[in-house]
Amino acid sequence: MDLMLPRAFVVLLSCCPLFAAATGGRVTVPLDGTWEIEESVAAGEMPRQFGHRVPVPGLANMARPPFADVDLFDSRELIDNRVRRKQLPESARISTAGIPRQKRNYFWYRTAFRPPARKQVAILKVNKAQFGTAVWLNGQRAGEHHGCFTAGYFDLTKLVRWDGDNELVMRLGAHPAALPPSVPAGTDFEKLKWTPGIYDSVSLLLSDNPVIETIQVAPRISPPQILVETRLRNYGAAPVAFALEHRVKTWKDQKAVAAAKPQQLKLAPGEERTVRQAIPIPGARLWSPEDPFLYVVESSTGGDSAVTRFGLREFRFDTPTRRAYLNGKVYFLRGSNITLHRFFEDPLAGALPWDEKWVRKLLIDIPKRMHWNSFRFCIGPVPEKWLDIADEAGLLIQYEYFIWTGGNLFHAEWTAEELTRELSEWVRDNWNHPSVAIWDACNETVADVLGSKVIPAARKLDLSNRPWDNGYNLPQDPNDPIEDHPYLFGRIVPGRTPPFRISDLETMVHHKQSAAPHPTAHASILNEYGWLWLTRDGSPTLLTREVYDTLLGPDATGQERLVLWAYLLGGLTEFWRAHRYHAAVLHFVYLTASFPGAYTSDHWRDVEKLELEPHFEDYAGEAFKPLGVYLNFWQPSLKAESSRRLAVAMVNDDYEPAKGKLVLSLEAGGGELARQETEFLIPALGQHSYQFELRVPKASGACLLKATAYPEGTRHRSPTVSRRKVSIAE
């Protein structure tokens, strides 16, 4: 049989350090590259010939030549959504995962490798693949892993040919219905395409006994130390005695900072054991978005070795203060959302999610420019490289598992045991990333089993004791947060209940109207708001046609809508930040799919070049500055030759006081019609409001009302401005 060696293998052969490591410790063989791919209807129909090629990591819709109808699947949630929108009759509802709109049920991936060294144990690691993964090596079945969002590990020790080529074949479900009904494969009311693929890296782990199966590094900041939990296993037929060693270094310059006393251990044949050891870190440097400093711990058993990167940080919420705390201090989260599994549907997505240069610009360069320190990776996981980059960028991630079933569609076939297994693996895969600050079990979902059984079991595994978000269920822990999605502009359409008027933003009447069925006094994460989405050309989405018809009329241009979207979203962001009701303000959505027929959309003018729509960048960039300004005025007009009392609210997210000059101005035609100013002083993490008495001059026409804060010092790169479009009426 003609076997294809992956491109990574060519690099591997010339890698001298890899062969040097082969005498002691782990050898990692990367298997990413171009694989062969073919399809079948039945699970047992392994193809004899492979006529297509596909990148790994990537998705099956990237195969060449392409497969027909590769994405087509109508999920149960999407069908329910269409029924509620009167696009389908009631009889269309189903109780299964969904309906495939393609003839195949499986895709088969094939590649080959040659081990660079003989070891006692060979483990295949598939970081993430959907929908379900079964593995064969040299024609022999090696195992199956159903999880779509967690790593699968396959013991190849007895099947591998150490002195020659090995044929590796993996079978994936072509759609969610290929999985057993008990396995969650992702649920989303607004996702139109479901694309299979090995969407994260694949590697072969070669080592001698005893094997390091997992390492968890849990930071402690007072006193600074790490708790290292190591799970060990002896795959051999004889007992093994060894010393477990840990050495801590800085990540970038590899400076040694600490070492643990070696632990003398012995494992019987087949024995598995978990051990813990605390390691003080003298002169520790804490990890934060402002200083994302990273360490590594190098671990060894003599037969196996591992390098684990981590950051020293603690993150929690506090219910009495309703605040988030980073490293013992109040910390306000500002940012957005990324729905990567929806972006997979985007016609322009292609290989972008696996282009490191593109991802670094997405997660590092632009968020810094937008003054964001946080993201929710929403309804679906990301490749591990994304979290590696988030660690380096200093982003705090609310990491959400792929469940969105609403209040009455939670799948009864998902047992507590299966959900616990899935979410426990998910915690295991991500517990060493300092960027992962919040576990999020679901989105807008009501299901008692999550809080009563699943979260308590998964929480115990995380030695960092991160907080958990539990959708629209009550919080599971006394200090866990809640999520809130007050989509005010979704209620601006005439006849909607309760109604919303833009002028309501002056009175804060909606600040406690949570969308959740269980409003609580817990800290609140505002991670969705607006309901103003437009596709990238300015067309309304399926959810916003009535909104823009109400605001602008049906004849508005795409450019007019884009300008209004940016303007209103900027003001709404100022509104939520100014009132300090939420510990986090994360707008929805930074990256998702955009095409005619989409439910939501993002703000890219050019997603391939990562160029933001300029009006959004302007207004949101101002609204998310750490020194926030909110001009509390939303009337359409001012009366000429009148006086108007106006309030300007300011917030300071920094740990240092901010002072300077606050200016209220009324401008038209590039000049000032009126101007007032005052000195401001906002304490660290504080807020304050200032009153102005504006004298409106004798004039008429369109004007711009502005509140501009000019802070002193070099910490602030530019003033912060809040703007309102008004007209002067005689």
Side-chain angles (χ1 to χ4, degrees):
M1 183 176 292
D2 181 24
L3 298 182
M4 176 186 59
L5 290 176
R7 285 192 298 238
F9 182 69
V10 178
V11 176
L12 199 154
L13 287 176
S14 62
C15 184
C16 294
L18 180 64
F19 287 101
T23 57
R26 180 177 300 180
V27 177
T28 299
V29 183
L31 297 180
D32 293 352
T34 301
W35 290 40
E36 298 172 312
I37 185 172
E38 203 45 80
E39 62 184 348
S40 76
V41 175
E45 295 177 351
M46 182 183 295
R48 295 184 177 182
Q49 301 293 328
F50 286 74
H52 305 256
R53 302 289 186 269
V54 69
V56 172
L59 295 171
N61 61 5
M62 300 165 67
R64 295 294 177 268
F67 293 95
D69 303 331
V70 67
D71 308 289
L72 301 187
F73 179 81
D74 291 350
S75 71
R76 170 183 166 184
E77 286 71 26
L78 180 65
I79 291 171
D80 182 77
N81 196 1
R82 288 173 172 170
V83 171
R84 286 189 288 109
R85 295 174 61 84
K86 310 300 183 184
Q87 296 170 334
L88 289 173
E90 283 289 333
S91 59
R93 294 186 192 272
I94 60 173
S95 58
T96 61
I99 302 173
R101 305 297 185 185
Q102 52 190 289
K103 295 180 180 180
R104 71 187 66 82
N105 290 317
Y106 298 95
F107 278 107
W108 301 77
Y109 282 68
R110 185 174 72 168
T111 191
F113 65 86
R114 187 179 306 151
R118 181 181 291 271
K119 291 283 188 173
Q120 295 175 347
V121 180
I123 303 294
L124 178 71
K125 180 183 179 183
V126 183
N127 271 13
K128 297 180 193 72
Q130 58 188 28
F131 301 95
T133 309
V135 172
W136 285 259
L137 185 65
N138 300 322
Q140 301 296 310
R141 186 178 174 92
E144 188 167 5
H145 178 252
H146 288 144
C148 299
F149 319 119
T150 57
Y153 292 86
F154 303 87
D155 185 358
L156 306 183
T157 306
K158 296 180 180 179
L159 306 178
V160 68
R161 297 173 185 150
W162 294 103
D163 55 357
D165 292 342
N166 290 262
E167 180 195 47
L168 176 64
V169 176
M170 293 169 52
R171 187 196 69 205
L172 274 60
H175 47 75
L179 283 165
S182 61
V183 178
T187 47
D188 185 340
F189 290 90
E190 296 168 2
K191 185 170 170 58
L192 303 179
K193 296 180 179 179
W194 295 81
T195 311
I198 305 171
Y199 65 97
D200 207 343
S201 290
V202 180
S203 55
L204 182 67
L205 313 179
L206 308 177
S207 58
D208 291 329
N209 286 306
V211 172
I212 298 171
E213 295 214 303
T214 64
I215 286 183
Q216 180 176 182
V217 180
R220 303 287 187 266
I221 66 171
S222 184
Q225 61 178 324
I226 55 174
L227 180 62
V228 181
E229 181 183 78
T230 311
R231 191 174 73 193
L232 303 157
R233 182 175 177 182
N234 178 12
Y235 282 79
V240 58
F242 61 99
L244 176 62
E245 299 182 356
H246 300 295
R247 296 184 300 275
V248 181
K249 296 180 178 179
T250 57
W251 171 58
K252 283 189 175 180
D253 57 15
Q254 292 291 291
K255 178 183 177 182
V257 296
K261 181 180 179 180
Q263 289 180 283
Q264 301 298 324
L265 300 169
K266 185 175 182 179
L267 293 181
E271 183 180 357
E272 192 169 348
R273 187 186 306 178
T274 300
V275 297
R276 294 179 181 177
Q277 191 167 13
I279 306 175
I281 310 293
R285 187 168 164 182
L286 301 185
W287 183 98
S288 70
E290 293 71 32
D291 183 22
F293 191 81
L294 295 167
Y295 294 88
V296 295
V297 57
E298 298 177 344
S299 307
S300 174
T301 65
D304 195 10
S305 59
V307 178
T308 307
R309 197 170 69 169
F310 68 94
L312 275 169
R313 71 106 183 91
E314 292 182 351
F315 182 85
R316 63 182 177 88
F317 288 92
D318 176 68
T319 296
T321 60
R322 303 192 68 188
R323 292 288 183 255
Y325 287 78
L326 176 65
N327 297 330
K329 298 179 181 179
V330 170
Y331 196 85
F332 290 100
L333 279 66
R334 307 179 304 273
S336 190
N337 282 256
I338 290 175
T339 59
L340 182 61
H341 285 252
R342 289 187 184 175
F343 183 63
F344 286 163
E345 304 177 63
D346 194 283
L348 300 177
L352 293 176
W354 302 277
D355 180 337
E356 184 170 343
K357 183 178 179 181
W358 186 88
V359 178
R360 285 187 176 277
K361 184 176 181 181
L362 181 83
L363 296 182
I364 299 178
D365 300 345
I366 296 174
K368 286 182 179 178
R369 202 164 74 222
M370 298 298 292
H371 313 285
W372 292 338
N373 55 31
S374 180
F375 279 104
R376 178 174 63 151
F377 289 166
C378 179
I379 43 180
V382 297
E384 188 171 19
K385 188 66 177 179
W386 285 54
L387 293 176
D388 290 339
I389 293 171
D391 294 342
E392 297 166 25
L395 292 170
L396 291 165
I397 303 300
Q398 179 181 358
Y399 204 18
E400 188 169 81
Y401 192 77
F402 207 153
I403 292 177
W404 178 26
T405 63
N408 62 347
L409 283 180
F410 196 79
H411 292 224
E413 65 273 17
W414 295 344
T415 64
E417 292 74 21
E418 181 64 32
L419 287 168
T420 299
R421 179 165 45 252
E422 296 264 358
L423 269 73
S424 295
E425 288 184 356
W426 180 59
V427 168
R428 171 207 65 191
D429 290 348
N430 302 293
W431 56 27
N432 291 319
H433 289 286
S435 59
V436 176
I438 307 163
W439 304 115
D440 190 343
C442 60
N443 176 60
E444 296 181 346
T445 293
V446 179
D448 291 341
V449 67
L450 294 174
S452 63
K453 296 182 179 180
V454 178
I455 292 177
R459 185 192 294 272
K460 292 177 183 177
L461 302 176
D462 179 20
L463 299 180
S464 295
N465 194 29
R466 293 170 175 87
W468 280 78
D469 180 276
N470 192 17
Y472 282 173
N473 306 286
L474 286 171
Q476 193 272 324
D477 182 85
N479 285 307
D480 279 347
I482 62 167
E483 65 179 32
D484 195 8
H485 300 169
Y487 277 118
L488 304 184
F489 278 93
R491 305 200 300 265
I492 203 167
V493 176
R496 295 282 171 85
T497 303
F500 170 71
R501 299 170 301 174
I502 296 178
S503 59
D504 289 341
L505 296 177
E506 294 182 1
T507 60
M508 199 58 180
V509 295
H510 291 278
H511 82 290
K512 291 186 178 180
Q513 292 195 9
S514 171
H518 303 297
T520 74
H522 288 239
S524 174
I525 302 172
L526 179 65
N527 52 31
E528 293 189 34
Y529 61 93
W531 207 273
L532 292 162
W533 304 286
L534 297 169
T535 59
R536 295 174 193 144
D537 66 357
S539 300
T541 68
L542 286 179
L543 298 177
T544 60
R545 170 64 66 184
E546 291 181 286
V547 172
Y548 283 98
D549 285 353
T550 301
L551 292 170
L552 290 175
D555 297 326
T557 66
Q559 184 64 18
E560 289 172 332
R561 286 188 289 262
L562 287 169
V563 171
L564 182 62
W565 184 17
Y567 172 72
L568 292 176
L569 188 66
L572 196 56
T573 301
E574 296 170 6
F575 168 84
W576 289 121
R577 289 191 62 214
H579 291 281
R580 290 295 205 212
Y581 186 72
H582 303 283
V585 177
L586 313 179
H587 119 281
F588 192 88
V589 54
Y590 177 51
L591 179 71
T592 189
S594 184
F595 50 79
Y599 287 84
T600 63
S601 186
D602 52 35
H603 299 273
W604 299 105
R605 180 170 64 181
D606 188 324
V607 73
E608 294 171 297
K609 296 180 180 178
L610 289 180
E611 295 177 357
L612 286 170
E613 198 283 318
H615 298 93
F616 167 77
E617 182 166 3
D618 177 21
Y619 280 98
E622 291 293 330
F624 278 108
K625 285 182 177 178
L627 182 64
V629 177
Y630 174 63
L631 176 54
N632 190 25
F633 180 80
W634 287 98
Q635 303 301 321
S637 63
L638 293 166
K639 186 177 180 181
E641 298 184 283
S642 67
S643 292
R644 181 72 188 233
R645 192 169 180 82
L646 298 173
V648 178
M650 296 185 65
V651 294
N652 178 15
D653 287 357
D654 287 338
Y655 292 131
E656 298 179 24
K659 66 176 182 177
K661 181 171 61 177
L662 179 62
V663 175
L664 180 71
S665 61
L666 184 63
E667 302 176 0
E672 287 188 346
L673 302 178
R675 176 187 176 96
Q676 292 186 23
E677 61 183 65
T678 188
E679 299 296 317
F680 73 82
L681 175 62
I682 313 296
L685 304 176
Q687 67 237 49
H688 191 61
S689 293
Y690 294 88
Q691 296 285 344
F692 291 88
E693 193 73 32
L694 178 69
R695 179 65 184 174
V696 183
K698 184 178 180 180
S700 63
C703 297
L704 190 64
L705 186 64
K706 293 170 57 177
T708 307
Y710 296 90
E712 296 177 1
T714 59
R715 278 187 308 116
H716 303 276
R717 292 173 289 177
S718 61
T720 305
V721 59
S722 174
R723 291 158 284 185
R724 301 290 178 264
K725 298 177 181 180
V726 299
S727 62
I728 298 178
E730 295 182 357

